Amino acid sequence: MNEMLLEKLSRITEEEQAILNGEDHVNRSLYYSSETDNQIDSARVLANGKLIDIRPHTRFVHFPPHTHNYVEFIYMVKGETTHIIDGERILLREGDLLFLNQHATQEIYPASKDDIAVNFMILPQFFDEAFRMISAEQSSLRDFIISCLTSRNSQSNYLYFHAHSLIPVQNLLENLIWNLLEDEPNKRSMNQITMGLLFLSMINHSSEIEISENSFDQQITMELLSYVQNEYKTATLAEFANEHRMDVYTVSRIIKKQTGSTFKALLEERRMDQACFLLKNTALTVEDIALNIGYENLSFFYRLFQKVYGKTPRQYRIDNKG
């Protein structure tokens, strides 16, 4: 990270100085609306009119179990921090991201001076533009990730994104932090676009996303959607089930329950999406495109494409030129 930015994030805050001076708990007035409330209030941590803001994580003190009425994610800039999310212990390592939806219960163990984390506090409406950015193409994987970030789910209310080795993601996060710390022109639009790019990176690197170990069904679903996303040309349910030492029936049941779709439907959706991309952006023949996405039977590909889009591949290409 940029040294000047790291120096800003490392500074001892007034709250931290009070803790170093002997205060043995967080300053509740900075976070909660009442002395008895355990939900951190966006009205306390976000200035009026702001949809997103950041603050360095408060070090040197135990943060007791709490919830949020906003979406939060934590970026571990340096060092590491220990979190208890819905009773599950998570060690957040340098360069990684922890996303919490509004229904997660979080507890944080004391961090040392060199453990630098940034808390992003985000109201749900901020995501509108970011979600529009990633909605241009059909993607069950995208829909599943969005659902994990926004929906109530008793099994898993967090996503751990192992992004420490992904330089483009690190650059996006540094830009986002910089924009939020500095009074840059067009800051709101830049932040929303950057967030959209961050979500696209998560989709492209879905194998680096970890879901609660208490949610076996969701973890299998994430892995299968990632498998379909990347291996659509040759993907089969039997191969996936065999790799995970499961029977086909069990995998089918889980996927249907979690996504509402069958493996066949998910695979066809991904292949059709790729076919549309190739029709719009390449000069490949329709036959080559069919082979490229996994269909050796050209007649079957034509029938399926026309059923989905109401037109032939050639007509689709003509209608989407330029």
Side-chain angles (χ1 to χ4, degrees):
M1 172 170 277
N2 176 277
E3 288 298 322
M4 184 168 63
L5 199 54
L6 182 59
E7 190 276 328
K8 283 188 176 187
L9 297 172
S10 302
R11 292 172 187 166
I12 302 295
T13 65
E14 288 185 17
E15 182 186 13
E16 289 175 329
Q17 190 59 58
I19 294 166
L20 292 173
N21 291 341
E23 194 71 61
D24 63 354
H25 58 273
V26 296
N27 183 348
R28 289 185 58 88
S29 65
L30 297 176
Y31 305 99
Y32 302 102
S33 296
S34 73
E35 282 300 313
T36 58
D37 202 352
N38 288 321
Q39 181 183 75
I40 296 181
D41 190 356
S42 62
R44 294 284 183 179
V45 298
L46 284 164
N48 288 339
K50 283 191 174 183
L51 299 180
I52 181 173
D53 206 352
I54 60 172
R55 65 188 301 155
H57 171 65
T58 301
R59 295 162 290 183
F60 317 121
V61 69
H62 171 253
F63 218 115
H66 59 278
T67 59
H68 318 83
N69 61 3
Y70 54 89
V71 176
E72 179 178 69
F73 70 84
I74 304 103
Y75 174 49
M76 202 67 226
V77 176
K78 182 182 178 184
E80 58 187 34
T81 49
T82 300
H83 303 252
I84 308 296
I85 309 297
D86 296 336
E88 187 174 342
R89 183 187 179 100
I90 298 168
L91 183 63
L92 184 61
R93 302 181 188 278
E94 185 172 319
D96 289 345
L97 280 162
L98 180 63
F99 290 84
L100 307 176
N101 70 22
Q102 292 173 263
H103 314 293
T105 297
Q106 180 187 29
E107 178 181 3
I108 312 170
Y109 290 169
S112 70
K113 185 176 184 292
D114 293 326
D115 296 322
I116 313 299
V118 176
N119 295 334
F120 289 78
M121 303 153 294
I122 311 166
L123 293 181
Q125 53 266 43
F126 174 83
F127 292 115
D128 291 348
E129 181 60 31
F131 289 164
R132 275 194 292 271
M133 283 182 62
I134 62 177
S135 294
E137 311 292 344
Q138 289 292 321
S139 172
S140 294
L141 178 60
R142 176 206 64 212
D143 294 343
F144 184 74
I145 290 173
I146 291 174
S147 175
C148 290
L149 291 173
T150 58
S151 301
R152 176 179 292 278
N153 188 293
S154 59
Q155 293 180 307
S156 180
N157 293 311
Y158 77 80
L159 295 176
Y160 188 140
F161 187 26
H162 296 275
H164 57 273
S165 63
L166 303 176
I167 301 302
V169 175
Q170 302 298 319
N171 291 337
L172 286 171
L173 288 162
E174 187 168 330
N175 289 339
L176 192 55
I177 293 170
W178 185 268
N179 287 340
L180 288 164
L181 287 177
E182 302 296 324
D183 190 20
E184 298 285 344
N186 304 309
K187 182 166 70 172
R188 181 167 174 168
S189 295
M190 291 171 65
N191 291 338
Q192 289 177 321
I193 291 170
T194 304
M195 187 65 72
L197 293 172
L198 180 59
F199 285 139
L200 286 173
S201 295
M202 290 179 68
I203 293 170
N204 290 340
H205 299 281
S206 57
S207 61
E208 300 298 332
I209 298 175
E210 179 183 330
I211 296 178
S212 170
E213 62 186 26
N214 296 326
S215 179
F216 177 78
D217 288 3
Q218 282 194 316
Q219 187 64 53
I220 285 296
T221 301
M222 175 68 79
E223 291 179 19
L224 181 133
L225 292 175
S226 180
Y227 169 70
V228 169
Q229 181 81 9
N230 297 310
E231 307 296 333
Y232 56 86
K233 183 175 180 179
T234 58
T236 68
L237 182 57
E239 179 183 61
F240 180 86
N242 184 57
E243 287 178 355
H244 289 76
R245 298 181 180 179
M246 299 172 65
D247 62 86
V248 168
Y249 172 78
T250 300
V251 177
S252 296
R253 179 184 55 78
I254 291 173
I255 298 309
K256 181 68 174 178
K257 176 185 175 184
Q258 292 290 322
T259 70
S261 295
T262 63
F263 175 85
K264 180 182 177 182
L266 292 170
L267 183 59
E268 287 182 352
E269 178 187 273
R270 177 68 181 102
R271 286 176 169 178
M272 290 297 102
D273 182 55
Q274 184 65 12
C276 289
F277 174 83
L278 294 173
L279 286 167
K280 288 189 289 186
N281 297 286
T282 75
L284 289 172
T285 66
V286 174
E287 183 175 6
D288 285 342
I289 288 173
L291 290 171
N292 186 283
I293 64 172
Y295 292 118
E296 296 183 2
N297 187 324
L298 185 59
S299 296
F300 177 79
F301 170 68
Y302 265 100
R303 289 196 302 273
L304 181 58
F305 192 95
Q306 189 146 12
K307 177 183 176 182
V308 174
Y309 298 104
K311 60 183 72 175
T312 66
R314 288 190 177 87
Q315 188 60 52
Y316 181 92
R317 171 173 272 168
I318 292 169
D319 292 345
N320 288 275
K321 270 190 175 180

